[in-house]
Structures are given as structure tokens and as C-alpha cells.
Amino acid sequence: MNWPDQEKSDEVPPFLDNLNPPQMQAVLHTDGPVMIIAGAGSGKTRVLTFRIANIVHKGVDPFNILALTFTNKAAKEMRNRIEKLVGGNARNLWMGTFHSVFARILRQEAERIGYPSNFTIYDSDDSKSLIKTILKEMNIDDKMYKPNLVLGRISMAKNNLITAKDYFQNEELINQDKASNRGKFADIYLAYTTRCFKAGAMDFDDILVNTHMIFKHHVDILNKWQHKFKYILVDEYQDTNHVQYMITKKLAAVTQNICVVGDDAQSIYAFRGANIQNILNFERDYPDVSTYKLEQNYRSTQIIVNAASSVIKNNKKQLEKKVWTANEEGDKIKVTRNASENDEGKRVAEYIFQDKQNEHLPNKAFAILYRTNAQSRAMEEALRRQGIDYRIYGGTSFYQRKEVKDLLSYLRFVINPNDEEALKRIINYPARGIGDTSLNRLIYLSGQQNMGLWEVIKNIRSFPEIGNGGPKIENFGMMIQSFIGLTDTTNAFDLATHVAKQTGLMRTLFEDKSVEGISRYENITELLNGIQEFVEDDESEKDKTLANFLEEVALYTDDQKDKDPDRDCISLMTIHASKGLEFPIVHLIGMEENLFPSQMALMNRQELEEERRLFYVAVTRAERKLYLSFATSRFKYGSLIPCEPSRFIDEIDSKYLDMSLASMKSKAVYQRNSDEEQFVSANKPTSNKSIFTTPKVAAPLPPEDPNFVAGDISQLKVGDMVQHQRFGRGVVAEIEGEGQNQKAKVNFDNIGTKVLVLKFAKMRIL
């Protein structure tokens, strides 16, 4: 359907007929500052699309409309929708991400600040390479000044409009650097910006910073673009940072025809520099603003919508709104208690299998959401055992992550020193001065002498032609030999931990405090947790050797190769990655204090409120069913530690929850308050909204507990009461098999029934 550009039309176009009243008002009010508060599932993209189409319908030239999004996908989707509404003229819209739009402007204006119009745009790898070069030239230790960490701090400064010269004058930042023993950061920042400028290159942050600089210092250029963009629309305004805020504010200063769309309750990117104050203070910036609230949720059931609202109301800083839905009431949110993360994975996989069968649903109807990437391991293994296909959305499968493969390569090489692919991966990681030249000489000697690489390394003193790298290669070989010497006397977990520490892998990752660095460190510790669980698994008949663990991993990773990315599979992802998506059934795992909310987010109210908004986003991804699960214990650094259920479960109004599987026993739940813990009957009414707390029971015993002594269970019989090192007290219900294959079914007080292989079971008869 097309409308002529040259004639302004006041009639309401027919394509708006299906909008609800608040949506219609937000679309029709085209002039002046407008803020659209769009609750989860309320049709935000639809309103933004129709609003732009309506502006075009009223006769505004699409060349004079600027629409800013946060992803190219969102921009493409909206442009296609608008084109269907108003025709091919929509292709003339200035629509795209902040970076794509302002890079386009800079191509026309960059010469005014000394850049060529054909400037290069550095991606993160280019920037990292330049930082490494600068560190080397300045003789600065790249272990203390890790390139990722340096780039992250430079990005933080730029997004807050702090130039390299300004940085030198900022006493607070300089003192922070000195306190962290990185007093040379300002010099690195200055060198980096100087080199970029000389190379005629901008990084992604420069695109925004330089646009702001041109607008600030060249009024004629600013005036030109202010008058060009008669209407400005910004999607996901709650995710804008300081420099994005400043640019849009400058551009809108003349016409004031700015429309921002967003939801403060879904502001979850503070770690990237997003500033929630931009949307909270919009009415202060534009006193004449007209605000429209899209409060009808079209996505989720009433139970899910109301549960999310009951949690987010605990945030102090927010824009008032009341999200509701006309959808069916739906099932209560099922909360499940699990003994460990492995048990959590098994239960989630079982629920998914049951829902698939009972409701005839495809795999793509399900999503498993988690706070940290490391949590995917237990879920992946449980789904694989259940035969359910999955994919990691927006990420990499656990055992394919670089840091995990690095440690696994060390372990592979320790078990099999003839594994030359593993050797090539680890010989100079972490960096130990064995570069490509030394490695190529080793490979040459190996071929010349008809010896394996490991044999050459063990006899490196016999090959003086190896040059200056000889002593470093010898030290590497001695380290590996010390690991090999432990394989017969050390269990898989202790050996893997020793390797991770002695190689410097753990230290290297621990010292990287960037968001990515923290995630990589968590993945390594989770790999060690997985090895510890493998060692402690009484239900497996396999010997608990490192070789057997590596065999399981190899078979598992091979099973994931060459799969069609568009196949029908379950989506596993972090909550951050799930924003903007929706699924009929969602499992939100790891609902524990210090995990979600994260331990790093409990320092102040601002961080805690961001975690609560993240929980709100997770809950509102679900359309029909939502499951919340927590574990009462998790392996951390080789020990099984007790865990406490997340406060966010406690903040959901109890009438929206099914707690029947969250209690220690089927007919009980637990109640928490600030003073004490009480046992409460599941059927007993209570005036206290809080519905459970960590039960007053002994946490599962850690493997190293010196007070636990396993006993002789060779005479075990049905009816015996036993104490298990990990599962606690139970009663033997059934015994089957003979000799090495004998198993016992035990009903444990705390976690239900387990089938144990007796030759591995760590328990005693009471």
C-alpha cells in the first residue's frame, strides 16, 4: 500500500486498525518529544514500525527520518515491515544501529577533524593487536596490562567522553590505576589514540565519540544534520550509554521531534556502559514530553506476567507501570529443589522430555536460561544423556570453548604424550617464550630424527641446533614429566587441578577482570567441578581415571559436530542473550544466592536492582510455562558447598508458585525471614509472603571431610540404614547383581532414591 509523499494526510491509515488504544495513541502522536514505555511482550516493535509508517504516510520524506536500533537484525526487520506498509520509499529511511548510521555521517564529515573520508574501522582484533604492539614497544608487562583489560578501560573512558588528554587530568581515574598497579594506563591510552589517528583508523567507540566531537565543535555541521533529521526515533532507549545520549540529544535540539521507546525494567547492560538514568530522566530533559505506556502483555500467561510484576516492584528506581494480560491464567510456576547441579540437569531434562511427549511440542519450544556461561555444562550433559538435541544460542558449546579446550589439551597430553595436536596447542600457552620458530625447529628435528615431538623435547639437550629456545623447551618438558609422574597416584580431579595451577592457566584467566575474562575463569573452574563430579559419581561403573573422563568428553564433543544449525533443538543461553526472544516453555536454572543474584552484584542497591531486572527479563521470556530450579549444593574448587535459594524466588507472590517440589519432603516447604528459619506445613496458611528458606538440615558432606569414614558394606542388606558421604542418611530398598556389578537402591532422606554401584559407594552401615 502506498501513499504519496508530496501530500500531507491527516486521515488514520487503515493499517492502524488492529492497534489497541495506547498503541494507537503512541503511533498517532508524531510531533514533539514522546516517550513510549513498552512493557515486556507489549508489541514494542509493532508500535515503532507503525509509528514510522504513519509519519511517512503524513507526507514526511523518509530521508528526513532517523531511526536508531541496537542490532542490524532489528533495523532490517523494521525496514521490511515498513516497506510492506508504505512501499519502496521506506528504503530511504536513515535506519540502522548507532554505529552504522554515524559511520555513514562520518564518511561525509570526518575530514573536519583530521580523518580521511575513507578511514578504516578497526574491529576488536585489530585494536587488540595494536595494544599488544604498544605494550611491547613501551616494554610494559602484558600480564599486568592484559590487552582485553586495557581495551575495556579505554572503551569505558570513551563512552563517558573522557579523551586520552582528559584522562591525565582525572585524579580519580589516575588513583584507581595506581591502586591496581596499572599506573601507565593513561600513557597507553594516549599512545593508542595517537596511533589510530595516524593510521586514519577509528575503532567502534571512536565512531560515536568522533561524531559527538564534530557536533560539539562544528556548529555548522550539527545544524545541517539537526535540520535534516526532522524526526528521530530511538529503540531500546534504556540501553543507551552516555555518548549515545549526548548525540541524540544534540540532534533533537531543534525540532524536539524525538521519540524514545524502551522499558526501564529491562535495562540489563550496565556492564557494557548502558545508563538507565537516560530513560529515567527523559521527562526531566523534555518537560513537554508525552508519555505512553504499553502495559498489555500479549506473550505470557497471567501467572507469569503477575509473577514478574511482583518481583520488579521491589526496585526503587523505576518508571511506574502496571503490566497486565488478557491471556489465559496458565499453570503456576513450578519451583524445584535439587541436591546438586547434576541432579538439576537431570530433572530439567526429564521435565522437557515429559512436556515434549505430553504436549506434542518440538525441541525449539523450549529454552534453558542461566546466569553464567559455565552453567551450561551440567545441562548439556543431562540433555545428551536424555537424547534431546540442543544448541548454545549466541555462544559456544561448553567443551568447545577455547579455555576449556586449552586445559583439556594439557590433560590429553599428560595421558598421551604422543598427541602432537594437543602439544602444539599448549606448548606456548600460557606464553613461555616458545614461539613459532622454536616449534618449527622441533617439528623439523622430529622428521629428521624420525622421533616423535615428545621424544625430541625429552632429549632437547642432544640438539644444540634448537638455539636459544632450548632451555625453555626443557623446562616445559620437565613440567609435563612431573604431571605424568602423578597419573598413577593422583585422582583425576586433583591431577587436573594441579595441571591448571602449575601451567599458569588458572592465574592467567583469574587476572583478566574483563567480563569475558571472568567468564573464561568460571568455565575453567566449572570444568574442574565436572571432573570432581565424575570422580564422586557412585552411580557410574567406569573407573574414575582421567583417561576415562577424557574419553567421555571426546565422544560427547564428536556427537555435537557437523549438526545443522537450523535443526529442531532446545536453546541454551545466558539470560543476557535471551533478551528479545520468547519461548513457550522456559527453564530458569541456578536460582541461588551468590549465583543469581550474582555475588558480584551484592555490593550496592544499584547492582542488585540490575540483577532483579535481569530476573524480570528471564521470567518474561516464557509464554506458557516457567520452571525455576535451584540446587542445595554445588561443587566449587573441589568441595561440595551448601547453597541458599535465591531471594528472587522469595519475592514472587506465593500464589503464583507451585512449591511442591521445592521442599525437603513432598508435604513441606520452608519459610525464611530475617530472624529465623521455620518449618511450615505446605497446607498451613501463613500471613508472611515469604514461602521458604534454606532448610535447617546438614549440607551434603564435602569429599574431603575428615569426620566421614566409609565402612564395610559387603554384608549390606535390604532395610539397612546407611550414611553416604554425599547424599546423607538413607534406607536400602533393594539390592541386585553380584560381585563387582552389585547395585543398591537407597531411599535417602534428603534427595530421594539413588541407585549406587556398591564397589564405588562411599557409605557406611549405621
Side-chain angles (χ1 to χ4, degrees):
M1 188 178 295
N2 292 289
W3 284 272
D5 296 336
Q6 64 273 18
E7 296 181 10
K8 184 174 180 179
S9 173
D10 292 322
E11 68 178 76
V12 176
F15 60 74
L16 301 184
D17 289 347
N18 294 325
L19 297 178
N20 67 32
Q23 290 175 336
M24 180 73 80
Q25 293 167 8
V27 166
L28 294 179
H29 189 145
T30 55
D31 294 336
V34 171
M35 179 165 63
I36 302 173
I37 306 300
S42 63
K44 170 182 69 69
T45 303
R46 178 182 176 85
V47 169
L48 194 55
T49 299
F50 285 152
R51 182 180 171 86
I52 295 171
N54 185 49
I55 293 173
V56 174
H57 166 66
K58 292 178 69 172
V60 177
D61 190 334
F63 280 108
N64 298 133
I65 300 173
L66 171 63
L68 298 168
T69 66
F70 272 83
T71 66
N72 288 311
K73 180 182 176 183
K76 183 178 179 181
E77 180 182 337
M78 279 198 288
R79 189 188 299 274
N80 289 339
R81 289 193 195 181
I82 295 167
E83 190 170 337
K84 289 178 181 178
L85 295 172
V86 299
N89 205 17
R91 297 174 188 173
N92 299 327
L93 290 165
W94 278 68
M95 175 179 283
T97 64
F98 280 86
H99 291 93
S100 66
V101 167
F102 295 129
R104 188 177 168 188
I105 290 175
L106 284 172
R107 292 293 180 198
Q108 299 185 40
E109 313 292 358
E111 292 179 355
R112 293 289 290 272
I113 56 173
Y115 279 90
S117 60
N118 64 340
F119 60 86
T120 299
I121 297 177
Y122 278 175
D123 63 19
S124 57
D125 287 339
D126 297 324
S127 296
K128 195 184 301 182
S129 177
L130 177 55
I131 290 293
K132 288 178 179 177
T133 300
I134 291 170
L135 293 175
K136 189 173 183 179
E137 291 175 353
M138 296 176 72
N139 198 27
I140 293 175
D141 183 5
D142 63 0
K143 292 183 177 62
M144 178 61 70
Y145 292 84
K146 292 183 180 297
N148 281 340
L149 199 64
V150 171
L151 281 174
R153 195 154 178 83
I154 289 175
S155 180
M156 177 278 299
K158 287 182 177 180
N159 285 321
N160 284 283
L161 297 175
I162 301 171
T163 67
K165 292 181 180 178
D166 293 336
Y167 199 98
F168 278 99
Q169 310 302 318
N170 193 309
E171 188 174 340
E172 181 181 355
L173 293 176
I174 295 296
N175 288 337
Q176 286 177 8
D177 292 338
K178 289 179 179 177
S180 62
N181 294 317
R182 295 186 180 90
K184 296 181 180 179
F185 176 81
D187 299 305
I188 299 170
Y189 184 14
L190 181 60
Y192 175 76
T193 54
T194 302
R195 293 284 282 273
C196 284
F197 183 77
K198 286 183 178 179
M202 300 186 197
D203 63 22
F204 287 122
D205 295 318
D206 287 330
I207 291 171
L208 301 182
V209 171
N210 288 336
T211 299
H212 177 267
M213 184 185 300
I214 288 175
F215 287 168
K216 181 178 180 181
H217 297 293
H218 300 276
V219 178
D220 58 324
I221 295 176
L222 173 61
N223 187 262
K224 178 177 78 173
W225 292 99
Q226 283 175 331
H227 285 82
K228 175 177 178 57
F229 296 132
K230 294 180 170 57
Y231 291 88
I232 299 170
L233 303 97
V234 186
D235 191 17
E236 304 286 9
Y237 192 65
Q238 77 280 351
D239 294 334
T240 53
N241 60 28
H242 182 62
V243 65
Q244 290 165 336
Y245 163 79
M246 291 298 294
I247 292 172
T248 53
K249 189 177 180 183
K250 284 181 179 296
L251 283 174
V254 172
T255 67
Q256 297 260 310
N257 290 333
I258 180 171
C259 172
V260 300
V261 184
D263 181 7
D264 59 297
Q266 297 185 67
S267 178
I268 59 173
Y269 293 118
F271 68 95
R272 293 184 190 168
N275 186 356
I276 192 174
Q277 296 303 320
N278 293 347
I279 193 167
L280 294 179
N281 295 334
F282 190 79
E283 292 174 328
R284 181 201 64 187
D285 293 337
Y286 300 92
D288 297 331
V289 65
S290 297
T291 300
Y292 299 95
K293 298 178 181 180
L294 309 183
E295 297 172 309
Q296 182 175 359
N297 179 296
Y298 291 93
R299 176 188 301 154
S300 308
T301 64
Q302 293 177 24
I303 291 282
I304 292 170
V305 169
N306 293 339
S309 297
S310 69
V311 173
I312 200 64
K313 72 180 183 182
N314 290 282
N315 274 9
K316 303 293 184 186
K317 294 184 177 180
Q318 60 178 303
L319 298 169
E320 184 183 350
K321 60 183 172 297
K322 184 175 178 60
V323 179
W324 62 280
T325 184
N327 293 343
E328 63 179 356
E329 182 180 38
D331 295 339
K332 287 189 175 184
I333 298 168
K334 190 182 291 293
V335 182
T336 62
R337 174 189 182 278
N338 305 276
S340 67
E341 60 189 314
N342 272 5
D343 290 329
E344 181 181 44
K346 291 174 187 175
R347 177 170 276 174
V348 168
E350 289 168 0
Y351 278 153
I352 289 174
F353 182 81
Q354 291 170 10
D355 281 336
K356 272 169 55 68
Q357 300 302 312
N358 295 339
E359 303 190 31
H360 307 289
L361 292 171
N363 287 328
K364 63 184 179 183
F366 299 84
I368 300 174
L369 309 183
Y370 36 78
R371 180 63 181 85
T372 67
N373 275 305
Q375 290 171 260
S376 79
R377 180 193 63 80
M379 291 297 122
E380 291 185 61
E381 293 178 1
L383 292 171
R384 181 172 56 89
R385 292 191 184 104
Q386 191 70 258
I388 301 174
D389 198 9
Y390 69 88
R391 67 167 178 153
I392 306 293
Y393 182 92
T396 307
S397 182
F398 182 81
Y399 289 110
Q400 293 298 319
R401 293 168 191 162
K402 178 188 179 301
E403 59 279 4
V404 172
K405 292 182 75 171
D406 289 336
L407 180 51
L408 287 174
S409 293
Y410 269 107
L411 301 180
R412 280 169 47 194
F413 192 66
V414 169
I415 297 301
N416 175 19
N418 294 318
D419 186 343
E420 296 192 351
E421 290 308 307
L423 171 63
K424 292 173 186 176
R425 186 180 186 100
I426 65 176
I427 194 168
N428 196 43
Y429 183 76
R432 51 178 61 92
I434 306 175
D436 290 342
T437 301
S438 295
L439 179 58
N440 289 334
R441 286 176 180 170
L442 281 175
I443 294 171
Y444 173 77
L445 284 170
S446 172
Q448 184 188 55
Q449 301 295 323
N450 195 27
M451 299 169 64
L453 284 175
W454 176 238
E455 288 301 314
V456 175
I457 290 172
K458 286 196 298 183
N459 297 282
I460 197 66
R461 290 195 178 190
S462 303
F463 304 104
E465 59 267 41
I466 200 70
N468 295 332
K472 295 169 184 175
I473 294 172
E474 183 179 24
N475 288 337
F476 171 76
M478 292 172 63
M479 177 182 70
I480 296 296
Q481 284 183 307
S482 73
F483 298 156
I484 294 172
L486 295 173
T487 54
D488 293 331
T489 59
T490 309
N491 72 41
F493 169 74
D494 290 337
L495 178 57
T497 303
H498 181 71
V499 170
K501 290 179 179 178
Q502 294 303 311
T503 57
L505 253 179
M506 292 285 280
R507 183 177 63 253
T508 298
L509 296 174
F510 180 77
E511 290 174 350
D512 185 350
K513 298 303 182 184
S514 66
V515 174
E516 295 80 7
I518 292 171
S519 179
R520 284 192 285 268
Y521 180 75
E522 289 173 343
N523 287 336
I524 284 293
T525 59
E526 182 59 25
L527 174 59
L528 295 175
N529 292 342
I531 298 174
Q532 177 72 330
E533 289 178 349
F534 172 80
V535 170
E536 294 293 315
D537 184 5
D538 293 344
E539 299 176 65
S540 170
E541 297 183 16
K542 277 193 173 183
D543 289 333
K544 308 306 167 55
T545 64
L546 187 56
N548 277 339
F549 175 81
L550 293 173
E551 178 184 299
E552 282 198 1
V553 170
L555 292 173
Y556 160 69
T557 52
D558 184 67
D559 183 54
Q560 297 302 305
K561 288 180 181 177
D562 303 321
K563 287 195 171 182
D564 179 5
D566 297 322
R567 66 195 187 277
D568 177 36
C569 54
I570 288 171
S571 294
L572 276 67
M573 67 188 80
T574 64
I575 303 168
H576 282 101
S578 75
K579 189 166 180 289
L581 303 176
E582 54 192 49
F583 303 88
I585 300 179
V586 169
H587 287 264
L588 179 53
I589 66 170
M591 290 301 304
E592 298 138 38
E593 287 291 298
N594 299 320
L595 182 54
F596 194 25
S598 166
Q599 186 173 12
M600 294 183 292
L602 298 177
M603 303 302 292
N604 56 55
R605 178 175 294 280
Q606 182 179 349
E607 292 172 348
L608 177 59
E609 292 201 348
E610 172 121 344
E611 287 289 291
R612 190 175 283 114
R613 293 194 296 270
L614 189 59
F615 179 69
Y616 178 84
V617 167
V619 170
T620 54
R621 296 313 92 195
E623 297 173 353
R624 289 167 41 195
K625 276 188 178 182
L626 175 64
Y627 294 82
L628 305 178
S629 62
F630 64 91
T632 56
S633 62
R634 283 183 189 267
F635 273 109
K636 286 193 178 179
Y637 314 113
S639 296
L640 198 62
I641 65 165
C643 302
E644 179 183 359
S646 170
R647 69 186 68 191
F648 296 149
I649 301 177
D650 225 15
E651 291 176 357
I652 299 175
D653 194 312
S654 60
K655 64 186 177 184
Y656 304 129
L657 299 177
D658 173 1
M659 300 294 296
S660 60
L661 292 172
S663 59
M664 290 292 293
K665 296 182 180 179
S666 60
K667 294 184 179 179
V669 293
Y670 289 84
Q671 179 175 28
R672 175 174 64 201
N673 57 40
S674 58
D675 302 315
E676 61 182 347
E677 296 171 345
Q678 305 172 36
F679 183 78
V680 184
S681 165
N683 298 318
K684 180 180 177 180
T686 173
S687 59
N688 191 330
K689 183 188 120 6
S690 178
I691 50 178
F692 74 94
T693 63
T694 307
K696 273 192 167 180
V697 295
L701 293 172
E704 304 88 347
D705 191 338
N707 296 322
F708 183 85
V709 179
D712 179 9
I713 56 174
S714 60
Q715 303 302 315
L716 189 69
K717 61 184 182 296
V718 173
D720 281 349
M721 185 169 287
V722 294
Q723 181 77 26
H724 187 277
Q725 184 184 32
R726 178 179 174 190
F727 303 141
R729 193 173 64 173
V731 176
V732 179
E734 187 179 322
I735 296 177
E736 62 180 36
E738 296 180 357
Q740 295 292 303
N741 297 320
Q742 194 171 43
K743 301 177 183 177
K745 181 182 288 186
V746 184
N747 295 326
F748 289 101
D749 293 347
N750 295 347
I751 62 168
T753 302
K754 290 283 184 182
V755 178
L756 308 177
V757 180
L758 292 184
K759 71 174 181 177
F760 295 125
K762 299 178 179 67
M763 63 184 182
R764 61 175 180 264
I765 301 172
L766 295 177

